[in-house]
Amino acid sequence: MTTSKAPITSVLVANRGEITRRVFRTARSLGLHCIAVHSTADASMPYVGEADAAVHLPGTAPAETYLRADLVIDAARRAGADAIHPGYGFLSENAGFAAAVIEAGLTWIGPPAEAISSMGSKIEAKKLMAAAGVPVLAELTPAEVSEAELPVLVKASAGGGGRGMRVVHRLEDLAAEIDAASAEALSAFGDGTVFCERYLATGHHIEVQVLADQHGTIWAVGERECSIQRRHQKVVEEAPSPLVERIPSMRAALFDAARKAADAIGYVGAGTVEFLADEGGDFYFLEMNTRLQVEHPVTEATTGLDLVALQFSIAAGDALPPEPPAAVGHSIEVRVYAEDPARDWQPQTGRLYRFELGSAGAGGSAGSAGVSGSAGVRGSAGGAGSAVAEFAPGGPRAGAPWLRLDSGVVSGSEISPYYDAMLAKVIVWGSTRAEAAARLAAELSRAKIHGVRTNRDLLVRVLRHPAFLAGETDTAFFDRHGLDLLAEPLADKATEELSALAASLADAAGRRSTARVQRGLPSGWRNLPSQAQRKTFTVGDSQYQVTYRLTRDGLVAEGNVVVIEASAEQVVLEVAGVSRRFQVAAYPGLVCVDSSLGSVALAPVERFPDPSQQVAAGSLLAPMPGTVIRVGVEVGDKVTQGQPLLWLEAMKMEHTISAPAGGIVAELAVSTGQQVELGAVLAVVQAQEET
């Protein structure tokens, strides 16, 4: 990091989505001009419209857009930026990019290039930390691994985010998993170097936020626990850590180790030192993220700091006060992903018709929330689509919201297959951990998220789980408590059936309200008794056929359900003397019903389906748009149930397409490198008896 020779007046954020909106909000509050870069796929994303200026990077893949340092710096020059903020991901931990920004005469809102470089290799970083007195897990070369060391974790030396990581439980699997991890790391980071270390299956992922100025002051600004993960990527983050709260001596030791780590590499700016801890409080260095973290809002919520404002302040040469503010209360953040947890976290793409959460989602917009600053810098909410929720030291000020939404999407956004599946981060503050968990679960359960499947219901179940509330949040949480149970919808079968009825009645009411004659009467009305009206919906693998009829007493539904009210957007039903309100929203091929019992997405079943839309038996369809990166079989091969046939890459993740049953590969419709759309036929496997 270099001190700017002149005041910063404009900043380009070399990123996309949620983090760009987050940086814009603080930058605008500081009076700065905000510049965006965007790929072709991101042209209509909210952050682009909120920028004062935007530069198009032609293409869709990160390698040809957001990872092109030369194009980003050229964009900054053309748009008149004084500084570049990298956000997180993409080029944020690229030492060459940091050096190039400084060489171009721009202010780099990040740590020195040398510090980034020293932490860029996890292998070399662990050696540096061990020399500085920071506890580390011993590195194992593949040749050293024996049965006694199992299980081991294969890790990419460069990069992070769960890519290039494999857990190995059997020695005979080690070579293949190393090859797979190396290939993934090479594709993601341009470096296929991997190493092994002992795997703590029930460890705690603890990290310490550090801030360091150019005058030698290093802050350890509270710790965060991020142990609940899927595919080595964080899902739930909180501050302070429940584990550290249980072991009073642990916090001081963690902070001391984090400050030693930052000092050892001459760190300047905001960064995070990550540790893996066991139940006894012993901890080991994992890595140092030389950038802002996705989960930084929970630290802001408990301290009142604006970490982005402090990044700008430190880059300008300002000094930090001697000590950081004390943390007060508890904050929890969850990441809302466009994915299906019940289907191996399969990412989802398509139109996000509606995205509303609490007051932050009013009007269909969901933006970053405001936070208050420190060190002479004060941040506030701003920018189109921003949700105001200012966190002050000690938690929200009296009367201020305690809910914060940092989102890269709004109602109507298109979720593409090219980037990470995260839609938003939802953050709450509470005076206690229990209060924060209850508030967050309630807000999530009431959210209206229509159009793509998300992990929302899973998050609510986690936040309400007795083990989570007891602070038992190690990295084996999903394995221990059963992902199949945690991924179940909040709405049970009875709720799905009631929601299907509400959808049917709302459809009938909507059609009658636009009818040219007898508008006030619902569909199916007759002078004399007639057949009931029927409509069929599917929810996942379940199908519901609902019926209703109009009598002299009004609309009557089967199953002892009384219809109190029915309009195109709202239906009130009474069951066993209890009335409930169902809000209904219809979209092409989809009806979403929200109620206090849970949200249900229904697919109407066509009475006369188009024969051309049918596919051959045994067809394997693409579960998402993506790129075929490998084909493992040929036409005529005999395969067994569950055997991997081909691999897709989408949303920064690799997905295996396996045989649904044993048989013969009768057709391969794709080849390596081919782009496929959702629902495209990839292959056809015929049962053996049919051949």
Side-chain angles (χ1 to χ4, degrees):
M1 180 182 292
T2 57
T3 303
S4 56
K5 298 177 181 179
I8 299 172
T9 62
S10 62
V11 60
L12 180 145
V13 180
N15 220 289
R16 64 179 298 277
E18 169 267 324
I19 184 55
T20 300
R21 299 182 86 193
R22 165 69 187 93
V23 176
F24 278 179
R25 189 201 63 253
T26 289
R28 189 165 284 116
S29 76
L30 300 174
L32 304 182
H33 191 74
C34 297
I35 301 167
V37 289
H38 67 88
S39 68
T40 302
D42 279 341
S44 61
M45 292 297 284
Y47 79 95
V48 179
E50 293 168 7
D52 297 305
V55 180
H56 176 216
L57 305 179
T60 54
E64 59 188 4
T65 54
Y66 301 108
L67 290 174
R68 285 284 301 275
D70 56 336
L71 297 183
V72 172
I73 292 173
D74 179 65
R77 286 196 181 108
R78 286 192 283 141
D82 306 312
I84 289 182
H85 191 298
Y88 41 68
F90 295 127
L91 293 168
S92 64
E93 294 181 282
N94 186 305
F97 178 56
V101 169
I102 295 168
E103 187 178 341
L106 303 170
T107 298
W108 168 247
I109 313 298
E114 295 79 9
I116 298 175
S117 180
S118 64
M119 291 291 104
S121 165
K122 291 184 176 65
I123 295 174
E124 295 305 314
K126 291 178 74 168
K127 294 177 181 177
L128 277 172
M129 294 300 101
V134 178
V136 299
L137 280 172
E139 175 196 342
L140 301 170
T141 64
E144 293 174 327
V145 177
S146 65
E147 291 287 349
E149 279 84 27
L150 295 176
V152 295
L153 182 64
V154 180
K155 297 178 67 174
S157 181
R163 306 211 68 183
M165 294 180 70
R166 298 289 192 279
V167 178
V168 181
H169 294 274
R170 303 189 312 164
L171 206 57
E172 57 266 35
D173 297 333
L174 182 60
E177 293 294 2
I178 287 174
D179 289 343
S182 180
E184 187 176 14
L186 182 64
S187 172
F189 314 121
D191 184 348
T193 305
V194 298
F195 65 97
C196 301
E197 65 184 18
R198 185 162 55 94
Y199 177 62
L200 301 182
T202 57
H204 292 260
H205 191 120
I206 312 293
E207 59 190 33
V208 179
Q209 176 70 56
V210 295
L211 282 163
D213 63 20
Q214 300 179 42
H215 309 282
T217 299
I218 302 175
W219 280 1
V221 196
E223 86 283 344
R224 301 183 286 255
E225 179 154 350
C226 313
S227 300
I228 298 183
Q229 304 177 4
R230 56 93 163 114
R231 290 186 168 182
H232 307 293
Q233 291 182 316
K234 301 161 188 172
V235 177
V236 181
E237 300 113 344
E238 55 184 314
S241 157
L243 176 67
V244 176
E245 289 283 273
R246 292 196 296 268
I247 306 174
S249 62
M250 188 176 177
R251 182 168 288 121
L254 275 169
F255 287 7
D256 180 61
R259 285 189 291 262
K260 284 180 178 178
D263 185 56
I265 61 172
Y267 200 78
V268 176
T272 302
V273 186
E274 301 196 357
F275 301 94
L276 187 64
D278 61 26
E279 282 292 335
D282 292 329
F283 59 87
Y284 308 92
F285 174 83
L286 278 177
E287 62 185 3
M288 184 173 183
N289 293 128
T290 53
R291 54 170 168 80
L292 200 66
Q293 288 281 89
V294 178
E295 56 272 21
H296 76 274
V298 294
T299 296
E300 293 181 327
T302 51
T303 63
L305 297 172
D306 182 333
L307 297 179
V308 175
L310 286 167
Q311 286 184 298
F312 281 104
S313 179
I314 291 170
D318 296 342
L320 292 169
E323 297 293 334
V328 178
H330 201 97
S331 181
I332 304 176
E333 169 184 299
V334 294
R335 304 187 190 187
V336 179
Y337 285 103
E339 65 184 12
D340 187 350
R343 297 181 183 273
D344 195 27
W345 311 100
Q346 189 178 98
Q348 307 290 297
T349 59
R351 178 64 57 87
L352 184 64
Y353 292 111
R354 193 172 187 179
F355 189 76
E356 296 180 10
L357 191 144
S359 58
S365 75
S368 296
V371 292
S372 59
S374 66
V377 183
R378 184 173 181 79
S380 61
S386 293
V388 181
E390 295 190 348
F391 291 125
R397 295 186 299 277
W402 40 260
L403 169 69
R404 167 172 166 173
L405 177 66
D406 282 14
S407 171
V409 298
V410 296
S411 295
S413 291
E414 192 72 26
I415 310 305
S416 80
Y418 302 108
Y419 313 110
D420 189 86
M422 189 177 78
L423 301 178
K425 306 176 312 194
V426 188
I427 310 101
V428 298
W429 179 91
S431 58
T432 66
R433 185 172 184 270
E435 180 182 278
R439 284 175 162 178
L440 184 50
E443 289 294 337
L444 287 169
S445 66
R446 289 194 289 261
K448 293 182 175 62
I449 307 175
H450 299 169
V452 296
R453 190 182 299 275
T454 72
N455 64 336
R456 182 262 304 273
D457 288 7
L458 170 92
L459 296 173
V460 174
R461 288 194 180 277
V462 169
L463 291 166
R464 291 174 175 169
H465 197 282
F468 177 85
L469 296 175
E472 299 168 4
T473 55
D474 59 46
T475 53
F477 189 89
F478 289 134
D479 293 334
R480 178 177 299 108
H481 301 293
L483 179 60
D484 54 342
L485 298 176
L486 291 167
E488 285 185 353
L490 293 175
D492 58 19
K493 297 299 182 182
T495 299
E496 291 179 353
E497 190 167 11
L498 282 174
S499 298
L501 175 59
S504 191
L505 295 173
D507 175 63
R511 284 188 282 109
R512 291 313 306 164
S513 68
T514 57
R516 304 184 68 175
V517 295
Q518 296 181 327
R519 181 172 299 173
L521 298 178
S523 173
W525 183 87
R526 300 288 187 274
N527 281 323
L528 298 173
S530 184
Q531 292 187 1
Q533 299 296 297
R534 290 181 174 82
K535 197 166 183 65
T536 305
F537 298 91
T538 59
V539 181
D541 297 329
S542 301
Q543 187 173 89
Y544 299 97
Q545 184 178 80
V546 295
T547 61
Y548 67 89
R549 66 174 74 237
L550 179 65
T551 70
R552 288 186 173 87
D553 298 322
L555 277 168
V556 175
E558 290 186 353
N560 231 3
V561 179
V562 179
V563 182
I564 305 297
E565 175 189 325
S567 69
E569 298 179 347
Q570 182 170 274
V571 174
V572 179
L573 302 175
E574 182 182 298
V575 181
V578 179
S579 64
R580 296 188 186 275
R581 195 172 304 274
F582 296 81
Q583 295 179 314
V584 183
Y587 310 101
L590 176 70
V591 182
C592 295
V593 181
D594 297 291
S595 74
S596 60
L597 297 173
S599 298
V600 178
L602 303 127
V605 175
E606 299 293 332
R607 293 179 64 187
F608 306 104
D610 184 352
S612 67
Q613 300 301 312
Q614 306 301 308
V615 296
S619 296
L620 280 73
L621 307 182
M624 82 252 352
T627 303
V628 179
I629 59 174
R630 181 183 166 200
V631 177
V633 293
E634 296 180 354
V635 173
D637 284 357
K638 181 179 178 180
V639 297
T640 58
Q641 183 177 7
Q643 178 180 334
L645 304 184
L646 53 90
W647 289 260
L648 289 180
E649 185 174 65
M651 288 185 168
K652 297 171 61 178
M653 297 171 69
E654 186 178 300
H655 307 275
T656 303
I657 308 300
S658 302
I664 303 295
V665 178
E667 179 183 345
L668 276 175
V670 295
S671 57
T672 301
Q674 184 174 334
Q675 292 277 342
V676 296
E677 296 299 319
L678 173 68
V681 175
L682 305 175
V684 177
V685 176
Q686 289 184 350
Q688 239 178 322
E689 58 269 23
E690 296 178 0
T691 61

